[in-house]
Amino acid sequence: MAQAKLSYLDLYTTDPAWNLAAEQYVFDCLPRDQTYFMLWQNNNAVIIGKHQNAAAEIDQQFVRENGVRVVRRLSGGGAVYHDMGNLNFTFIADAGDMETINFRLFCQPVVAALAALGVQAEVNGRKFSGNSQYLKEGRVMHHGTIMFDSDLDRVAQAPHVDQEKIAAKGVASVRSRVTTVRQHMPHPVELEEFRRVLLDNILAQQLGEEYVLTEEDKSQISRLREQRYATWEWNYGQSRECEMTRQKRFPACGGVEAHLSTDRGVIRYIAFTGDFFSVVEPKVLAEKLVGVRLEEQSLRDALAQEDAGRYFSGPKNEELIELLLS
């Protein structure tokens, strides 16, 4: 890690779009003669890697039904679920002669903090922390999520997709066996105490002081949030070409399969197959869905003047939308 002056920031918002905008703002706009360390939390969110296809990397029905936010980050790597049992950290520093990804350099302080609490951990042990890096113009951003007391069912379910039904040209997540830090602690410790111990360990290795965001800083971060991290275009529209199959059996209709090809989150091709009956050929409906965003409101608008029951003898428009987004 570069031995420049250390500035640390505590971000106490749990809005994932704002926190990721804050990361980029610190990386792009704050003085480069300092190293920055940030602690932050996101509530109920799936954070996907820069190169991933959002439709391929998340269970869309799960995130809709559970109010899970989906936000794309600047760095590569796989999809991760964040809740209030996670503590996220970010280092921003000069890359020096670093030309390749080096996780160990920035994960070691986390291992030291765990040791101070009686938890023996290794950088390459059972997974409690997902990490990724972003390199640009001689600077490196390393961020990770520490699953302190996460809901492991959601960790597995929110980014989950049936791999037999999807073939994406984007980058697929690597899913590993995971655990939480709390399960391995010899004595009960709350997340806020762990947060303090982690910061103390960082400052013990490199003296520094808190950087308090100014009103102008916050204004710039909010602008970046609205222009990028809170937009469909960034979070879904960046998705690369993807082919998938959605299927569902309707009691009054039979089985319906939707075979889709999307690019940048927009339907480029769709065909329906199954053992259903129809009054009007589903091909007619398929043609009307080409060019439509694969997201709830756009599908609802495209079907506003249609009756799905004419094409599949039974399902309502909302049930067809649920199928397409399942």
Side-chain angles (χ1 to χ4, degrees):
M1 196 182 308
Q3 290 301 309
K5 180 181 177 182
L6 179 71
S7 294
Y8 64 90
L9 298 86
D10 265 321
L11 305 181
Y12 279 97
T13 172
T14 60
D15 174 6
W18 201 94
N19 285 332
L20 291 175
E23 274 194 320
Q24 183 179 343
Y25 175 78
V26 172
F27 186 89
D28 287 342
C29 301
L30 292 191
R32 294 170 60 100
D33 62 348
Q34 299 182 42
T35 292
Y36 297 92
F37 177 70
M38 305 163 65
L39 288 172
W40 46 288
Q41 289 180 279
N42 289 331
N43 191 20
N44 211 23
V46 173
I47 310 302
I48 62 173
K50 181 179 181 179
H51 308 297
Q52 290 187 291
N53 188 304
E57 293 302 328
I58 61 172
D59 182 328
Q60 295 197 60
Q61 182 175 351
F62 179 86
V63 300
R64 285 199 320 279
E65 292 176 352
N66 291 277
V68 177
R69 300 275 297 280
V70 178
V71 186
R72 185 182 301 276
R73 62 180 182 266
L74 276 180
S75 62
V80 290
Y81 177 74
H82 289 180
D83 61 15
M84 293 305 290
N86 283 329
L87 178 61
N88 304 303
F89 65 94
T90 305
F91 287 98
I92 296 173
D94 281 332
D97 58 0
M98 184 189 303
E99 295 181 354
T100 59
I101 302 300
N102 184 345
F103 287 161
R104 181 175 296 276
L105 178 66
F106 296 100
C107 290
Q108 204 57 48
V110 176
V111 172
L114 288 170
L117 292 168
V119 178
Q120 299 304 310
E122 298 178 0
V123 174
N124 294 318
R126 191 177 178 194
K127 192 167 185 178
F128 65 87
S129 178
N131 293 265
S132 60
Q133 288 184 0
Y134 173 69
L135 291 161
K136 180 184 177 184
E137 297 176 353
R139 297 282 275 178
V140 57
M141 175 196 296
H142 177 108
H143 41 203
T145 177
I146 304 169
M147 291 183 289
F148 182 82
D149 192 23
S150 305
D151 184 335
L152 294 183
D153 289 337
R154 288 199 169 199
V155 168
Q157 189 171 359
H160 176 71
V161 65
D162 186 346
Q163 296 297 323
E164 293 182 356
K165 293 184 180 179
I166 190 159
K169 294 181 175 64
V171 180
S173 292
V174 177
R175 296 179 175 85
S176 304
R177 293 181 63 190
V178 295
T179 187
T180 63
V181 170
R182 183 184 286 272
Q183 294 179 34
H184 301 276
M185 286 191 161
H187 307 289
V189 173
E190 296 303 317
L191 191 146
E192 276 303 311
E193 182 178 351
F194 175 73
R195 186 174 186 145
R196 178 188 59 77
V197 171
L198 177 58
L199 180 58
D200 287 347
N201 272 269
I202 299 298
L203 293 177
Q205 296 181 43
Q206 188 174 358
L207 294 178
E209 59 186 23
E210 183 175 8
Y211 179 89
V212 179
L213 292 169
T214 67
E215 291 306 311
E216 177 61 22
D217 291 333
K218 294 176 183 177
S219 176
Q220 294 292 333
I221 292 170
S222 294
R223 184 175 296 110
L224 183 57
R225 176 195 183 277
E226 295 304 314
Q227 293 177 349
R228 170 170 280 185
Y229 293 97
T231 68
W232 182 92
E233 287 77 9
W234 172 253
N235 295 320
Y236 287 89
Q238 294 287 323
S239 296
R240 299 162 67 182
E241 186 178 350
C242 176
E243 296 177 0
M244 65 192 84
T245 298
R246 311 295 202 198
Q247 62 182 7
K248 187 172 182 179
R249 178 161 291 277
F250 298 96
C253 169
V256 178
E257 290 188 2
H259 306 270
L260 302 96
S261 176
T262 64
D263 190 23
R264 306 296 175 183
V266 174
I267 298 171
R268 299 305 182 191
Y269 168 83
I270 181 169
F272 296 100
T273 62
D275 58 1
F276 54 84
F277 295 98
S278 63
V279 176
V280 180
E281 280 294 321
K283 181 179 179 180
V284 176
L285 179 62
E287 291 172 350
K288 296 180 179 180
L289 292 174
V290 172
V292 176
R293 289 178 176 180
L294 190 60
E295 59 98 16
E296 187 173 357
Q297 189 57 53
S298 295
L299 291 170
R300 185 174 287 117
D301 292 344
L303 295 171
Q305 305 302 317
E306 298 292 336
D307 177 5
R310 298 172 66 228
Y311 302 98
F312 305 106
S313 297
K316 305 297 185 184
N317 285 10
E318 289 299 317
E319 292 175 300
L320 178 60
I321 291 172
E322 183 177 323
L323 163 67
L324 295 174
L325 296 178
S326 63

